[in-house]
Amino acid sequence: MKDRKLHVLTCAHKLFIEKGFQATSIQDILDESGIAKGTLYNYFSSKNELLIALFKTLYKKMEKERNDLLIGQDPSDINIFIKQFELQMETNRANKLISLFEEVIFINDSELKDFIQKSQLRMLRWVHQRFLEIFGEEKREYLWDCAIMYLGILNHGIRYYTMTHDKKLDIHKVVQYSVNRLVKIVEDVAESGEVLVEAESMARWVPQEGENELPLPHAIAHAVSDLKKNLSGGADYERLAELLDFIQQELSGKNGTAPRRFLVESAMESLRGNKDFASKVGADWTNLQELIERYMK
């Protein structure tokens, strides 16, 4: 990253910590960093984009340091996982990332919301992968559930521990306690054979390592939105939009049931057979079909 751009992020980070994200104005950032408005907008189109870039920069550094702890170590050693998680929490605390995260989570900005959810899923994926290395492939089908429960225990443990200890957090104690509970949970769910969240379902939501994309249901929602914009004003817009909305709803996961494949395919066929639709769509339609095909696997 260019030194000047990094300087802007550093200055903005300082202000976000001192004043809060929403209370910090673009002018505040310009004054603190000593750059012109035009220069700032060459780097970031908005304050939200600047915040996302800040999160990405800090996460990238933290992930490298976290991975460095594994060099020359046995990945199945649960004590290394504890050290990795403690490092991550120390990074969050030092950079006030949790308070920043909590402040912006309810901001009505689609790009920011997508980034936040993607970051949460990225963390879940990493925990799941580490659990595979620690507990073994034979427990694979239970480890998504275990990763979800671990993060739940940890996050709520942090919240109520700090609330009852004058906002002071003993990171090692909370992580150690959460991991100890997790070990028992893994044994219990493997013995019971119960699975709450199937691996196939998680594959639709959690991008694989190295993939720079949204969870499939969100990617489908974006593709549907793009198609509706292309069709806006057409003679049969309402009917076509209705079909697209139906497909999105079926694949959103919000119904609590598996998507009804035959209904989705029927809606897709109706779209293909509409001349107005065929004349206005191109790459966006191809993209939607590819996403749906991946979702249905």
Side-chain angles (χ1 to χ4, degrees):
M1 184 179 291
K2 293 180 180 179
D3 290 344
R4 210 171 189 191
K5 186 175 181 180
L6 184 58
H7 171 67
V8 174
L9 287 177
T10 302
C11 292
H13 188 196
K14 176 176 178 287
L15 290 169
F16 294 160
I17 291 172
E18 292 174 353
K19 301 179 64 173
F21 173 75
Q22 297 192 69
T24 299
S25 67
I26 290 292
Q27 189 59 52
D28 290 333
I29 298 170
L30 295 175
D31 293 342
E32 182 71 26
S33 60
I35 65 167
K37 183 179 288 189
T39 304
L40 177 68
Y41 284 116
N42 280 337
Y43 296 140
F44 311 105
S45 63
S46 66
K47 192 170 70 164
N48 286 356
E49 185 180 312
L50 189 156
L51 179 65
I52 290 172
L54 173 62
F55 276 132
K56 285 181 176 178
T57 301
L58 294 172
Y59 286 164
K60 185 176 181 180
K61 181 175 182 293
M62 181 274 294
E63 287 172 0
K64 180 185 182 304
E65 292 172 351
R66 189 180 65 189
N67 291 336
D68 285 347
L69 289 175
L70 267 176
I71 296 174
Q73 303 295 326
D74 180 0
S76 67
D77 184 350
I78 202 166
N79 292 308
I80 301 300
F81 174 75
I82 290 171
K83 289 179 181 178
Q84 288 179 302
F85 227 95
E86 288 175 354
L87 180 146
Q88 179 173 304
M89 290 178 63
E90 288 287 3
T91 299
N92 287 344
R93 181 162 65 178
N95 292 285
K96 304 291 177 66
L97 293 184
I98 299 301
S99 57
L100 257 181
F101 182 87
E102 289 176 345
E103 183 184 356
V104 304
I105 195 169
F106 297 112
I107 291 177
N108 189 26
D109 179 271
S110 59
E111 186 180 7
L112 194 52
K113 284 183 176 179
D114 286 337
F115 174 77
I116 289 170
Q117 181 168 49
K118 185 177 176 183
S119 298
Q120 292 172 328
L121 292 171
R122 186 184 180 114
M123 169 53 57
L124 181 62
R125 181 191 65 205
W126 178 77
V127 173
H128 175 258
Q129 181 58 44
R130 290 293 287 115
F131 283 1
L132 278 171
E133 294 169 338
I134 293 166
F135 299 107
E137 285 287 334
E138 65 275 11
K139 294 186 173 68
R140 174 181 282 274
E141 63 182 303
Y142 312 110
L143 293 181
W144 280 116
D145 288 344
C146 293
I148 292 166
M149 286 186 280
Y150 168 74
L151 291 175
I153 292 169
L154 182 79
N155 291 331
H156 283 282
I158 292 169
R159 180 177 181 179
Y160 291 106
Y161 185 93
T162 53
M163 186 178 75
T164 56
H165 289 76
D166 298 323
K167 296 187 178 180
K168 294 177 182 177
L169 176 60
D170 184 334
I171 288 176
H172 177 74
K173 185 173 183 178
V174 175
V175 173
Q176 185 71 64
Y177 178 88
S178 302
V179 169
N180 289 345
R181 304 289 73 74
L182 183 276
V183 170
K184 297 294 184 183
I185 287 170
V186 173
E187 293 173 0
D188 180 64
V189 294
E191 185 177 338
S192 70
E194 291 180 281
V195 176
L196 182 63
V197 180
E198 295 84 2
E200 294 79 9
S201 298
M202 290 304 298
R204 298 180 188 129
W205 283 93
V206 183
Q208 295 301 305
E209 186 67 44
E211 288 185 4
N212 185 26
E213 61 182 31
L214 294 171
L216 277 175
H218 284 206
I220 289 169
H222 279 260
V224 165
S225 177
D226 289 341
L227 277 169
K228 287 167 69 175
K229 287 176 185 175
N230 290 342
L231 297 169
S232 182
D236 205 13
Y237 172 75
E238 287 189 11
R239 170 62 179 158
L240 296 172
E242 206 173 84
L243 287 167
L244 287 167
D245 286 340
F246 171 77
I247 291 169
Q248 180 187 333
Q249 184 64 31
E250 278 293 306
L251 303 180
S252 68
K254 295 178 181 177
N255 295 331
T257 58
R260 294 168 289 184
R261 180 184 289 269
F262 70 98
L263 290 178
V264 173
E265 290 175 348
S266 176
M268 297 277 285
E269 196 57 42
S270 296
L271 288 169
R272 291 188 190 98
N274 186 287
K275 291 182 180 179
D276 191 42
F277 181 80
S279 67
K280 290 188 175 182
V281 299
D284 289 334
W285 173 237
T286 302
N287 179 46
L288 179 61
Q289 291 180 96
E290 290 174 353
L291 289 169
I292 290 174
E293 184 178 344
R294 286 172 54 197
Y295 185 99
M296 290 295 198
K297 282 184 179 178

